[in-house]
């Protein structure tokens, strides 16, 4: 009976991690599904600052660091052809999926908005021939790169030295920001200069002169995932015997509080910004991530509560990237399908929002309800996949 209890504790701690991952995916869907009238906290900060919407993606990256530890722990972090294939396959897989998703979206909209008098095959060719505008960066590209580098570091660098390496990366990046006008939203920002030089203007998202998922800002992203990995290494290493569980939970909570305090103090001299992924942003969001994970472990595992809550979010945590992409792709037909309303043409999104939700709920709450409808649809798909044991690994 004792062994079974220890096994259940082990599984529940991973359940808490799945729940947290599901929470971040739901957040990303809500924040990205915008009809133009979000509540203020649901908008990303325009440059400097931190809002609720700025938290979801970094929390997911923090969790990715922990799951990287869990996935490679079974191999003992020993370099081998099998491990290299696993790391390379996942890294390239995530990046290629991002590029294909962007290419398909551009092709779809290009074809649907093309002149209908042009022959079908010609329209199709011109719509699909859009590689000169393909974005080379992106959310999934950053996830793939940061995972790959962190995973390789875990094979060759002692995990106890990770904090030193993390600090070194963040300090070096801070120096780059200070020396290269990194906190200015202008064309002279070193981040934008590097992005335009490496990616090219046509292959980047130009947000105030820089790409939010650009080249140099991937460096603190790597440190971000490594922080999650290090927390995971302390929390889950040797977890099979169930020993020191309370001490590990206390470590997570204290680490979260420490990172949060240090990040806030650092923010006094190093502005907090998701756009440039500043070091203070890394510290604060990882601090929040560690605290949230610790609270979920305590609530779900130790107290054994919130099973319904856990089950709902675990659906999203089981297929996180697939459901994230689904939430983006399901909006495409709503923009492309046109219907005649009161003698005029309007897309289906506008009909649902302006003629269905706004009269009932108003602009802001109507926007939120629309986002939650997207969450509900993706959750239903995720529930079916979970029940049928379908897990799309990216």
């Amino acid at each position: 009976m004792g062994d079974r209890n220890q096994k259940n504790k082990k599984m529940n701690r991973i359940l808490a991690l799945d729940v947290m991952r599901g929470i971040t995916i739901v957040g990303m869907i809500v924040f990205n599904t915008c009809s133009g009238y979000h509540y203020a906290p649901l908008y990303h900060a325009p440059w400097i600052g931190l809002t609720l919407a700025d938290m979801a993606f970094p929390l997911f990256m923090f969790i990715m660091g922990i799951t990287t530890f869990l996935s490679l722990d079974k191999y003992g972090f020993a370099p081998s052809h099998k491990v290299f294939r696993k790391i390379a396959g996942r890294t390239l897989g995530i990046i290629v999926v991002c590029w294909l998703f962007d290419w398909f979206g551009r092709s779809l909209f290009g074809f649907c908005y093309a002149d209908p008098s042009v022959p079908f095959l010609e329209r199709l060719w011109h719509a699909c021939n859009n590689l000169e505008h393909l974005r080379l960066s992106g959310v999934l590209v950053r996830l793939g790169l940061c995972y790959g580098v962190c995973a390789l570091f875990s094979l060759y660098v002692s995990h106890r030295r990770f904090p030193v390496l993390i600090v070194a990366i963040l300090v070096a990046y801070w120096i780059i920001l200070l020396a290269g006008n990194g906190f200015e939203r202008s064309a002279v920002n070193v981040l934008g200069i590097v992005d335009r030089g490496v990616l090219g203007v046509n292959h980047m998202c130009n947000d105030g002169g820089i790409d939010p998922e650009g080249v140099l800002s991937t460096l603190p992203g790597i440190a971000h995932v490594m922080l999650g990995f290090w927390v995971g290494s302390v929390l889950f290493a040797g977890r099979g015997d169930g020993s020191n569980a309370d001490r590990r939970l206390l470590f997570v909570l204290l680490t979260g509080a420490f990172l949060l305090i240090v990040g806030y103090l650092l923010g006094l001299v190093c502005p907090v910004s998701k756009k440039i992924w500043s070091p203070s942003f890394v510290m604060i969001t990882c601090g929040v991530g560690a605290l949230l994970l610790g609270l979920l472990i305590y609530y779900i595992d130790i107290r054994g509560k919130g099973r319904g809550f856990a089950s709902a979010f675990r659906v999203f945590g089981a297929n996180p990237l697939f459901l994230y992409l689904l939430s983006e792709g399901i909006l495409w037909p709503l923009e492309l399908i046109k219907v005649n309303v009161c003698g005029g043409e309007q897309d289906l999104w506008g009909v649902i929002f302006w003629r269905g939700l706004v009269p009932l709920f108003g602009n802001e709450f109507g926007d939120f309800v629309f986002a939650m409808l997207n969450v509900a649809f993706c959750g239903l798909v995720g529930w079916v996949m979970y029940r049928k044991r379908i897990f799309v690994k990216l």
Side-chain angles (χ1 to χ4, degrees):
M1 180 65 70
D3 291 340
R4 181 176 298 177
N5 289 337
Q6 297 300 340
K7 183 178 180 181
N8 288 337
K9 285 187 176 183
K10 170 185 173 181
M11 292 175 65
N12 288 336
R13 282 189 171 82
I14 298 178
L15 171 60
L17 192 63
D18 286 340
V19 170
M20 181 173 167
R21 182 164 48 197
I23 291 173
T24 64
I25 293 300
V26 170
M28 291 169 72
I29 295 174
V30 171
F31 303 144
N32 291 342
T33 308
C34 180
S35 300
Y37 289 96
H38 263 341
Y39 289 112
L42 304 185
Y43 282 112
H44 291 290
W47 187 253
I48 302 298
L50 184 65
T51 70
L52 184 63
D54 294 326
M55 296 298 301
F57 183 32
L59 288 183
F60 189 88
M61 290 183 63
F62 178 79
I63 298 168
M64 172 173 270
I66 299 176
T67 56
T68 300
F69 172 83
L70 292 173
S71 66
L72 296 179
D73 184 39
K74 67 184 71 173
Y75 301 103
F77 300 99
S80 67
H81 291 298
K82 185 176 182 179
V83 172
F84 288 140
R85 285 196 301 269
K86 177 182 177 66
I87 295 173
R90 191 180 186 203
T91 299
L92 294 176
I94 293 175
I95 293 174
V96 170
V97 165
C98 181
W99 288 343
L100 287 176
F101 189 78
D102 182 52
W103 171 80
F104 180 75
R106 290 179 180 275
S107 300
L108 179 63
F109 278 85
F111 177 80
C112 291
Y113 286 128
D115 185 352
S117 64
V118 177
F120 175 84
L121 291 179
E122 186 177 344
R123 274 190 292 156
L124 182 63
W125 167 252
H126 286 297
C128 295
N129 188 22
N130 58 53
L131 295 180
E132 69 274 10
H133 294 287
L134 180 71
R135 187 185 177 194
L136 296 179
S137 60
V139 169
L140 294 188
V141 172
R142 170 157 293 182
L143 286 175
L145 291 175
C146 292
Y147 160 77
V149 175
C150 177
L152 290 176
F153 278 153
S154 72
L155 303 181
Y156 295 102
V157 178
S158 170
H159 301 166
R160 293 183 178 182
R161 297 185 180 275
F162 263 43
V164 176
L165 187 55
I166 292 167
V167 171
I169 293 174
L170 293 180
V171 170
Y173 181 65
W174 188 10
I175 293 173
I176 292 173
L177 293 177
L178 292 174
N181 303 304
F183 296 103
E184 294 184 19
R185 194 174 192 181
S186 67
V188 298
N189 188 313
V190 65
L191 303 182
I193 293 173
V194 173
D195 289 340
R196 291 190 296 273
V198 176
L199 302 175
V201 176
N202 291 336
H203 299 288
M204 60 179 281
C205 174
N206 194 333
D207 189 341
I210 72 166
D211 189 315
E213 286 82 41
V215 178
L216 286 180
S217 59
T218 299
L219 293 174
I222 293 170
H224 199 118
V225 175
M226 290 177 65
L227 249 175
F229 181 97
W230 179 69
V231 170
S233 70
V234 178
L235 181 61
F236 291 111
R239 66 191 184 282
D241 58 4
S243 63
N244 299 321
D246 293 338
R247 186 177 301 176
R248 291 172 182 172
L249 176 59
L250 181 62
F251 162 80
V252 173
L253 294 173
L254 291 177
T255 298
F258 173 78
L259 291 173
L260 196 58
I261 294 172
V262 171
Y264 174 78
L265 295 176
L266 182 61
L268 299 176
V269 293
C270 175
V272 180
S273 174
K274 178 182 181 293
K275 300 291 186 182
I276 61 177
W277 218 272
S278 61
S280 54
F281 176 80
V282 173
M283 303 291 282
I284 290 175
T285 53
C286 284
V288 172
L291 287 172
L292 178 58
L293 177 60
L295 293 174
L296 288 173
I297 289 175
Y298 174 75
Y299 185 72
I300 296 173
D301 176 47
I302 295 180
R303 297 193 62 189
K305 295 184 178 297
R307 296 299 176 181
F309 164 84
S311 298
F313 283 104
R314 192 178 193 183
V315 165
F316 289 90
N319 285 290
L321 297 183
F322 174 82
L323 293 180
Y324 169 71
L325 292 176
L326 176 64
S327 72
E328 296 283 316
I330 195 59
L331 300 177
W332 293 345
L334 298 183
E335 295 181 67
L336 293 172
I337 298 175
K338 309 294 182 180
V339 294
N340 290 320
V341 181
C342 299
E345 191 176 65
Q346 191 173 21
D347 61 54
L348 193 56
W349 186 330
V351 172
I352 296 173
F353 179 67
W354 288 109
R355 300 184 181 275
L357 299 179
V358 170
L360 291 174
F361 306 108
N363 292 339
E364 285 79 11
F365 192 59
D367 182 275
F368 180 74
V369 171
F370 187 89
M372 292 307 298
L373 289 175
N374 195 5
V375 171
F377 174 80
C378 294
L380 178 61
V381 174
W383 178 77
V384 172
M385 295 176 67
Y386 186 80
R387 288 292 300 270
K388 293 184 176 295
R389 314 302 295 172
I390 300 174
F391 304 106
V392 180
K393 300 297 184 181
L394 291 179

